[in-house]
């Protein structure tokens, strides 16, 4: 800690000494008040001021920053700080009003992959569950560089972060979903499923499932692009989260009523049945610990089988759909140690089932007798 910083150890001791209840309360002297306020204000950050300073740096050309000795790592640290500030929805919306949103989107085209990835991560934080910032990013044409990075960036981390930002941007955002569909977003998602990165695959599968859930008419587009075949392949992935994400997407397709007897899966019926049988066999061989971790996968396999073939899966017959104790409520530990007074009183009084035979005596009244 720097020597010129506040004496936090002294501040802590002072606070404990004046609030431990061992001494009477007293009014603070002016000197104590001044010392306390200086200690606190020295660590108070004016968030808007800092965001304006960061905006000025983002608006400065890259070659000028390099001439001043500012490195890519410095920019990344600055974006880390900005991300902390915009976690507040109010601060996220204020970023545009102070002129910081457009240069942040410009960083999506930076020559350094780490900066492109971090900029997408900050954008994702800004627009997540924030309709106002979603609108501002759409109006600033922020979807275009995100799509470009998602589809064609040579760095898989940049592609993954861009996909995460797109997912946050278009969720519960109908204009965003429409723009994504018009930009051949489903074709880009199909290509993402063929990547080597399981994290990239998971994000793509989760977005596919969300889009199909929001609009089942997209099942036709997904079928035409051949996504079910790729999703069936990923349903046998070694990564458990990829398997579950693929099964969720397949379940959305199976629930589509316009695709025939097996929903939107069409001609992939036989392949699907084979995959599900293999997953049931794999689940049957799992240890008790692995079965507990695979609870969602077990339920997805059974739901998909029931939806497609109108009968429960063999997981039910084997007792593997719901393990003993999984649906039980958590044990009531507290009541064993802390019995409510009223419950204890009732238990003590109901224990004596025989009414008292002894007649209560009239209370003894003291004082002068009542007048005639």
């Amino acid at each position: 800690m720097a020597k010129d910083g506040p004496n936090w150890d002294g501040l802590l001791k002072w606070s404990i000494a004046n609030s431990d209840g061992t001494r009477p309360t007293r009014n603070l002297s002016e000197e104590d008040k001044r010392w306390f306020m200086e200690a606190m204000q020295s660590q108070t950050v004016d968030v808007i001021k800092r965001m304006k300073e960061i905006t000025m740096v983002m608006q400065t050309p890259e070659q000028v920053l390099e001439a001043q000795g500012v490195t890519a790592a410095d920019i990344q640290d600055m974006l880390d700080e900005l991300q902390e500030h915009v976690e507040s929805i109010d601060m996220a919306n204020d970023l545009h009003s102070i002129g910081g949103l457009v240069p942040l989107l410009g960083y999506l085209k930076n020559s350094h992959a780490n900066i492109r990835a971090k900029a997408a991560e900050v954008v994702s934080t800004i627009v997540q569950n924030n309709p106002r910032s979603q609108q501002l990013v759409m109006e600033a044409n922020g979807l275009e560089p995100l799509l470009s990075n998602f589809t064609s960036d040579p760095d898989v981390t940049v592609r993954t972060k861009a996909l995460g930002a797109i997912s946050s941007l278009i969720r519960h955002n109908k204009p965003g979903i429409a723009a994504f569909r018009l930009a051949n977003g489903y074709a880009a998602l199909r290509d993402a499923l063929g990547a080597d990165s399981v994290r990239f695959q998971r994000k793509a599968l989760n977005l596919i499932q969300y889009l199909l859930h929001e609009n089942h008419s997209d099942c036709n587009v997904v079928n035409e692009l051949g996504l079910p075949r790729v999703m069936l392949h990923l349903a046998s992935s070694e990564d458990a989260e990829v398997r579950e994400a693929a099964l969720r997407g397949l379940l959305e397709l199976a629930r589509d009523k316009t695709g025939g007897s097996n929903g939107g899966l069409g001609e992939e019926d036989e392949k699907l049945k084979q995959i599900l049988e293999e997953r049931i066999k794999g689940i049957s061989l799992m240890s008790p610990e692995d079965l507990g971790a695979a609870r969602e996968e077990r339920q997805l396999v059974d739901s998909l089988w029931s939806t497609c073939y109108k009968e429960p899966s063999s997981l039910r017959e084997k007792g593997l759909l719901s393990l003993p104790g999984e649906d039980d409520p958590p044990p009531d530990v507290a009541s064993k140690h802390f019995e409510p007074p009223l419950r204890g009183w009732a238990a003590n009084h109901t224990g004596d089932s025989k009414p008292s035979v002894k007649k209560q005596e009239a209370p003894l009244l003291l004082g002068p007798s009542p007048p005639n």
Side-chain angles (χ1 to χ4, degrees):
M1 183 178 293
K3 294 182 179 179
D4 56 350
N7 183 6
W8 290 111
D9 185 57
L11 178 61
L12 176 61
K13 292 179 179 178
W14 179 88
S15 300
I16 295 175
N18 287 274
S19 61
D20 59 1
T22 60
R23 61 183 67 186
T25 59
R26 63 182 179 85
N27 293 328
L28 294 178
S29 66
E30 290 301 323
E31 183 180 357
D32 285 342
K33 290 180 181 179
R34 184 167 56 255
W35 175 80
F36 180 79
M37 293 305 297
E38 289 177 356
M40 297 305 295
Q41 289 177 0
S42 65
Q43 292 298 303
T44 301
V45 177
D46 187 337
V47 176
I48 293 296
K49 181 181 178 182
R50 284 294 299 152
M51 288 172 60
K52 288 181 178 178
E53 293 170 351
I54 293 173
T55 296
M56 291 180 62
V57 176
M58 291 192 297
Q59 291 172 338
T60 305
E62 185 176 351
Q63 60 271 22
V64 175
L65 293 176
E66 291 178 353
Q68 296 295 324
V70 179
T71 65
D74 296 329
I75 299 297
Q76 192 172 349
D77 291 340
M78 180 191 70
L79 293 176
D80 281 331
E81 180 187 348
L82 180 61
Q83 185 175 12
E84 293 180 3
H85 296 324
V86 297
E87 285 178 354
S88 163
I89 289 182
D90 291 336
M91 294 298 104
N93 294 337
D94 285 340
L95 182 64
H96 174 72
S97 62
I98 64 176
L101 180 59
V102 172
L104 172 64
L105 296 175
Y107 270 169
L108 294 171
K109 303 176 182 179
N110 192 273
S111 60
H112 298 278
N114 290 342
I115 294 179
R116 295 196 302 274
K118 191 62 192 181
E121 194 174 345
V122 178
V123 172
S124 180
T125 302
I126 290 173
V127 299
Q128 189 172 17
N129 300 320
N130 189 345
R132 175 58 179 161
S133 282
Q134 286 178 335
Q135 179 184 358
L136 292 173
V137 171
M138 293 295 297
E139 291 175 352
N141 200 26
L143 181 59
E144 181 179 348
L146 287 173
L147 284 169
S148 176
N149 288 359
F150 163 48
T151 57
S152 58
D153 198 281
D155 190 286
V156 68
T157 301
V158 176
R159 297 182 68 191
T160 304
K161 296 292 185 180
L163 176 56
I166 291 171
S167 180
S168 297
L169 177 61
I170 67 176
R171 282 181 183 269
H172 311 296
N173 176 8
K174 291 183 178 180
I177 292 176
F180 179 79
R181 294 175 77 253
L182 289 174
N184 293 324
Y186 277 114
L189 289 172
R190 178 194 58 194
D191 296 339
L193 295 182
D196 294 332
S197 170
V198 294
R199 187 182 179 192
F200 197 31
Q201 291 174 341
R202 287 198 301 264
K203 285 185 177 292
L205 287 167
N206 288 333
L207 184 54
I208 290 172
Q209 187 268 333
Y210 170 77
L211 292 172
L212 294 179
H213 181 76
E214 291 296 303
N215 191 356
H216 272 192
S217 64
D218 286 355
C219 290
N220 294 329
V221 178
V222 167
N223 271 304
E224 291 175 1
L225 291 172
L227 266 76
R229 187 179 304 107
V230 184
M231 294 163 69
L232 284 169
H233 173 70
L234 294 177
S236 300
S237 170
E238 295 182 358
D239 185 85
E241 294 185 26
V242 170
R243 289 199 307 269
E244 292 174 5
L247 291 170
R248 282 194 294 268
L250 291 169
L251 184 58
E252 291 294 341
L253 287 170
R255 287 171 174 168
D256 176 36
K257 302 304 181 183
T258 64
S261 60
N262 291 329
L265 290 169
E267 60 186 16
E268 303 294 339
D269 175 37
E270 289 301 322
K271 181 64 175 177
L272 171 64
K273 196 167 190 176
Q274 179 183 351
I275 293 293
L276 292 179
E277 289 174 345
E278 291 175 356
R279 290 314 310 145
I280 292 173
K281 181 179 179 181
I283 291 171
S284 303
L285 299 176
M286 286 183 177
S287 65
E289 293 79 9
D290 291 338
L291 282 172
R295 182 180 184 183
E296 184 175 358
E297 182 179 359
R298 289 184 278 125
Q299 294 174 344
L300 285 169
V301 168
D302 181 74
S303 297
L304 196 49
W305 187 282
S306 301
T307 301
C308 292
Y309 309 116
K310 313 306 179 187
E311 63 179 11
S313 71
S314 58
L315 289 175
R316 294 178 182 266
E317 300 174 3
K318 298 177 181 181
L320 296 176
L321 181 59
S322 180
L323 301 181
E326 280 188 337
D327 296 327
D328 294 344
D332 187 6
V333 179
S335 63
K336 296 180 180 179
H337 300 281
F338 304 100
E339 186 177 44
L342 185 59
R343 185 187 300 174
W345 178 87
N348 292 334
H349 282 70
T350 56
D352 186 8
S353 59
K354 296 181 180 180
S356 177
V357 180
K358 184 178 178 181
K359 182 178 181 181
Q360 291 184 346
E361 297 179 356
L364 178 63
L365 301 177
L366 300 179
S369 60
N372 295 329

